[in-house]
Amino acid sequence: AALGMFAGGAATAAAQPTATAEQTPAAETGTVAPASAPTVIGGTQLHSSAGPCAVALNLYGSGGTPYGLMHGACGHPTGTTQWFADNALTVPVGSSTAASPFPSTPHRLVQYNGNGSYPPHLATPTGTIRVGSAVALPIGAGICKAGPTTGITCGTVQAHNQTLGFPQGALTGVSRASLCPDPGDTGRALVAAGTARVVGIVVAGSGNCTTGGTTFYLPIQPILAQYGLVLFV
């Protein structure tokens, strides 16, 4: 695994640290699946009749069966959502099912149809990295994310076991970090600074990356335990 990706986690959100060539590995090479058999990694945007959403990262079940982890507000509020690789909705990737809307369903699993490639990688502005093991970070630890508009930003963990209020209800068990949020960051994976170890997924934020702000995330370990999944095979 490439572990030098997200470096310098003690920076504040307002500082908006920018990755350098020394901090980020070169993009991994390999055969990319054709459009009819898409390659999906963490950060890949999928499409549905309810709108687009990014996969936070791929998870794996018994026998290496791959699933995509998404934010709970992705797709239709209840029932089954069909996901596609293209915005014309012609290349099916899989489906997710929600019994209740977000935040009662804080995350979703996409069951892939098996016609593509689903490696344990995350997209970054400079290439892809292979994820490391799951980790729960203590308060004060460095934490980073790679967003589509902000690039790589890092901050520190500020609190655990927080409760967030949404119009639809409350979400408990949330952690808070001094990471600035911008559009497109929701649903992205977070990793420990200086490593590729997965910490959680972004569920909400306040502020922005111009003036600074706060990011709230769901820790990854309870999600893995809930479904009996792992981060790589």
Side-chain angles (χ1 to χ4, degrees):
L3 299 181
M5 169 59 201
F6 296 93
T12 63
Q16 300 181 54
T18 302
T20 66
E22 290 74 28
Q23 290 173 314
T24 54
E28 296 183 3
T29 59
T31 302
V32 177
S36 59
T39 296
V40 179
I41 63 174
T44 297
Q45 185 139 288
L46 299 183
H47 303 267
S48 77
S49 59
C53 263
V55 173
L57 70 165
N58 291 328
L59 304 176
Y60 304 90
S62 177
T65 302
Y67 299 87
L69 178 65
M70 278 185 168
H71 190 282
C74 291
H76 298 291
T78 59
T80 299
T81 300
Q82 300 294 331
W83 294 98
F84 299 82
D86 60 319
N87 57 16
L89 310 185
T90 63
V91 183
V93 172
S95 63
S96 64
T97 302
S100 58
F102 177 85
S104 295
T105 300
H107 49 264
R108 294 180 182 230
L109 285 182
V110 178
Q111 183 170 351
Y112 294 128
N113 58 20
N115 294 327
S117 175
Y118 316 102
H121 293 167
L122 293 176
T124 79
T126 57
T128 65
I129 60 167
R130 191 179 192 278
V131 303
S133 57
V135 62
L137 294 181
I139 293 173
I143 188 170
C144 303
K145 62 176 170 57
T149 60
T150 55
I152 296 168
T153 51
C154 296
T156 56
V157 178
Q158 297 176 317
H160 295 303
N161 297 317
Q162 303 289 289
T163 298
L164 290 181
F166 295 90
Q168 308 94 323
L171 177 60
T172 61
V174 178
S175 294
R176 185 179 78 232
S178 64
L179 281 165
C180 64
D182 260 355
D185 287 345
T186 301
R188 301 281 172 161
L190 295 155
V191 300
T195 80
R197 298 187 68 183
V198 179
V199 179
I201 66 168
V202 177
V203 290
S206 62
N208 55 60
C209 284
T210 300
T211 60
T214 301
T215 291
F216 299 92
Y217 67 91
L218 285 173
I220 190 64
Q221 289 175 322
I223 298 174
L224 298 176
Q226 179 179 349
Y227 297 107
L229 301 173
V230 295
L231 286 166
F232 46 81
V233 291

